[in-house]
């Protein structure tokens, strides 16, 4: 056999030179790609993994999970070290650019703290997704495309074997939940604009995935039904256990006026009879409104880990 055949499969992954990380230009090509299949597979696997489970339940926390939380804690600390600047416009505080420049500079080093030495070649490619996951430094905005980059970052860590099957609950409850806290702090501190927001017609200005995974957590709940999430008392009493309610709490803190007016889509969802129906509907909506919308996905990066090549199987 050739030397290629005996090379360890993981090393082969990273033979793609960095300049070949491409962005999507053709939606049909994207939907047929290995990247789309792997990304969606990852989202749905986690969706099953957290089904019926509370954020506060017991689950395994591996060393890579701890390291990812430490990475996110570093990003959080940098926000404290980079206060907003005085400027005439209310939104899009320019201090975000200073904060982002630090991440841009340190991203590979941060990723190297999570990836073992023998996989060090993967760090530059994986770091691209981390940098894409916090918002755009030119426009000072954040949206579901950035959120998708963070999910892709975690997906890549699974593909190279840093995260494993038994990390599923910790990926959502510990890492993704911490990511959401840091993003909410960024959004509040630097008054970031929602990227590609559909305003009142969108599900939420900034996030989508916690609604999917959060509704899965609530499937078969003995007392909480979809109609309850518009009840302030229910949200206040249960948000620490359920991602979905944590999102609702954040929306009500950030927005004024009747819920039905500022979050019409969510208001409509509260009329759906069961959480499993909500969950299925949100997955369909995520594909249609996020993954298949050019403005959202045009910045999605492809490389050796999430290839644009068509699915082979």
């Amino acid at each position: 056999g050739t030397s290629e055949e005996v090379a360890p499969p993981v090393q082969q992954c990273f033979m793609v030179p960095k300049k070949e990380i491409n962005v999507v230009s053709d939606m049909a090509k994207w939907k047929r790609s290995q990247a789309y299949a792997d990304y969606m597979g990852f989202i749905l696997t986690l969706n099953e993994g957290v089904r019926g489970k509370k954020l506060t339940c017991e689950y395994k926390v591996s060393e890579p999970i701890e390291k990812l939380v430490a990475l996110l804690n570093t990003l959080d600390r940098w926000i404290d070290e980079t206060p907003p600047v005085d400027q005439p416009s209310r939104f899009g505080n320019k201090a975000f650019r200073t904060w982002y420049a630090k991440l841009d500079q340190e991203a590979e080093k941060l990723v190297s703290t999570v990836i073992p030495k023998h996989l060090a070649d993967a760090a530059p490619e994986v770091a691209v997704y981390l940098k894409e996951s916090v918002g755009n430094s030119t426009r000072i905005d954040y949206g579901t495309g950035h959120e998708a980059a963070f999910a892709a970052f975690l997906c890549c860590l699974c593909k190279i074997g840093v995260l494993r099957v038994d990390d599923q609950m910790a990926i959502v409850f510990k890492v993704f939940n911490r990511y959401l806290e840091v993003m909410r702090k960024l959004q509040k501190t630097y008054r970031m604009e929602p990227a590609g927001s559909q305003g009142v017609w969108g599900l939420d200005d900034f996030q989508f995935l916690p609604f999917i995974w959060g509704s899965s957590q609530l499937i078969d709940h003995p007392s909480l039904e979809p109609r309850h999430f518009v009840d302030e008392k229910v949200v206040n009493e249960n948000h620490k256990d359920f991602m979905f309610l944590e999102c609702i709490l954040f929306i009500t803190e950030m927005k004024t006026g009747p819920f039905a007016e500022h979050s019409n889509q969510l208001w409509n969802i509260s009329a759906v009879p069961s959480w499993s129906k909500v969950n299925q509907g949100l997955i369909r909506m995520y594909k249609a409104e996020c993954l298949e919308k050019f403005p959202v996905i045009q910045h999605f990066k492809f490389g050796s880990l999430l290839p644009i090549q068509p699915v082979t199987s």
Side-chain angles (χ1 to χ4, degrees):
T2 63
S3 60
E4 232 174 41
E5 283 170 311
V6 292
V10 170
Q11 285 317 105
Q12 280 181 346
C13 286
F14 311 118
M15 294 305 171
V16 175
K18 210 170 159 190
K19 66 178 187 314
E20 281 191 34
I21 285 203
N22 298 311
V23 292
V24 71
S25 57
D26 174 352
M27 291 306 284
K29 195 175 177 185
W30 152 241
K31 279 158 61 176
R32 285 196 306 269
S33 71
Q34 190 63 53
Y36 183 92
D38 290 348
Y39 179 85
M40 233 17 250
F42 180 68
I43 300 302
L44 296 174
T45 301
L46 294 176
N47 190 55
E48 280 309 303
V50 301
R51 190 184 173 125
K53 307 275 197 314
K54 290 181 177 182
L55 286 170
T56 47
C57 73
E58 292 285 312
Y59 50 85
K60 175 187 166 252
V61 179
S62 64
E63 196 184 345
I65 294 285
E66 295 284 14
K67 287 174 173 173
L68 281 165
V69 172
L71 182 157
L72 290 164
N73 291 343
T74 300
L75 301 188
D76 192 335
R77 193 182 74 245
W78 291 349
I79 302 174
D80 297 334
E81 292 166 5
T82 319
V85 294
D86 280 337
Q87 61 176 45
S89 65
R90 206 167 124 233
F91 287 96
N93 196 282
K94 289 182 178 61
F96 175 73
R97 291 180 184 151
T98 311
W99 180 90
Y100 183 86
K102 195 169 173 91
L103 173 63
D104 195 34
Q105 207 181 340
E106 303 283 329
E108 275 185 44
K109 203 190 288 176
L110 286 173
V111 169
S112 300
T113 64
V114 181
I115 292 179
K117 290 265 189 300
H118 70 283
L119 296 172
D121 290 355
E125 189 171 326
V126 176
V128 169
Y129 295 101
L130 179 65
K131 287 191 282 194
E132 290 281 319
S133 74
V134 297
N136 180 287
S137 67
T138 311
R139 295 187 304 271
I140 314 181
D141 66 5
Y142 175 94
T144 49
H146 302 110
E147 177 191 64
F150 191 75
F153 165 69
L154 297 172
C155 181
C156 287
L157 292 174
C158 287
K159 288 194 86 170
I160 61 175
V162 172
L163 296 172
R164 300 180 184 278
V165 173
D166 56 359
D167 287 318
Q168 278 177 30
M169 283 171 71
I171 288 171
V172 179
F173 292 172
K174 207 154 181 70
V175 179
F176 196 81
N177 211 37
R178 184 71 186 108
Y179 165 75
L180 286 176
E181 288 169 2
V182 178
M183 292 309 106
R184 285 172 184 145
K185 188 167 170 177
L186 277 180
Q187 289 150 20
K188 273 181 169 168
T189 306
Y190 303 122
R191 302 300 300 268
M192 296 175 79
E193 299 271 9
S197 168
Q198 301 165 308
V200 75
W201 304 112
L203 185 70
D204 177 77
D205 280 344
F206 298 111
Q207 312 298 154
F208 203 114
L209 292 174
F211 292 96
I212 294 178
W213 295 331
S215 57
S216 180
Q217 282 184 277
L218 285 154
I219 289 173
D220 298 330
H221 192 284
S223 60
L224 291 178
E225 294 170 28
R227 64 191 171 91
H228 290 122
F229 77 73
V230 290
D231 179 335
E232 206 178 322
K233 186 169 175 286
V234 172
V235 171
N236 288 334
E237 285 170 9
N238 298 282
H239 70 94
K240 285 189 169 66
D241 285 327
F242 300 105
M243 233 172 203
F244 196 103
L245 302 182
E246 197 72 73
C247 290
I248 301 294
L249 186 71
F250 184 67
I251 291 170
T252 53
E253 277 174 10
M254 299 299 281
K255 298 196 168 186
T256 52
F259 191 87
E261 282 174 27
H262 63 62
S263 302
N264 192 260
Q265 279 280 21
L266 282 166
W267 178 259
N268 293 338
I269 287 169
S270 71
V272 175
S274 72
W275 285 110
S276 60
K277 283 246 185 327
V278 170
N279 186 247
Q280 290 158 10
L282 285 173
I283 290 165
R284 280 197 305 272
M285 187 177 170
Y286 184 60
K287 287 178 182 170
E289 298 301 321
C290 298
L291 298 186
E292 292 168 15
K293 282 278 191 288
F294 188 72
V296 176
I297 223 64
Q298 64 181 328
H299 306 294
F300 197 90
K301 302 282 193 288
F302 301 96
S304 61
L305 291 171
L306 289 171
I308 188 66
Q309 281 72 29
V311 175
T312 43
S313 56

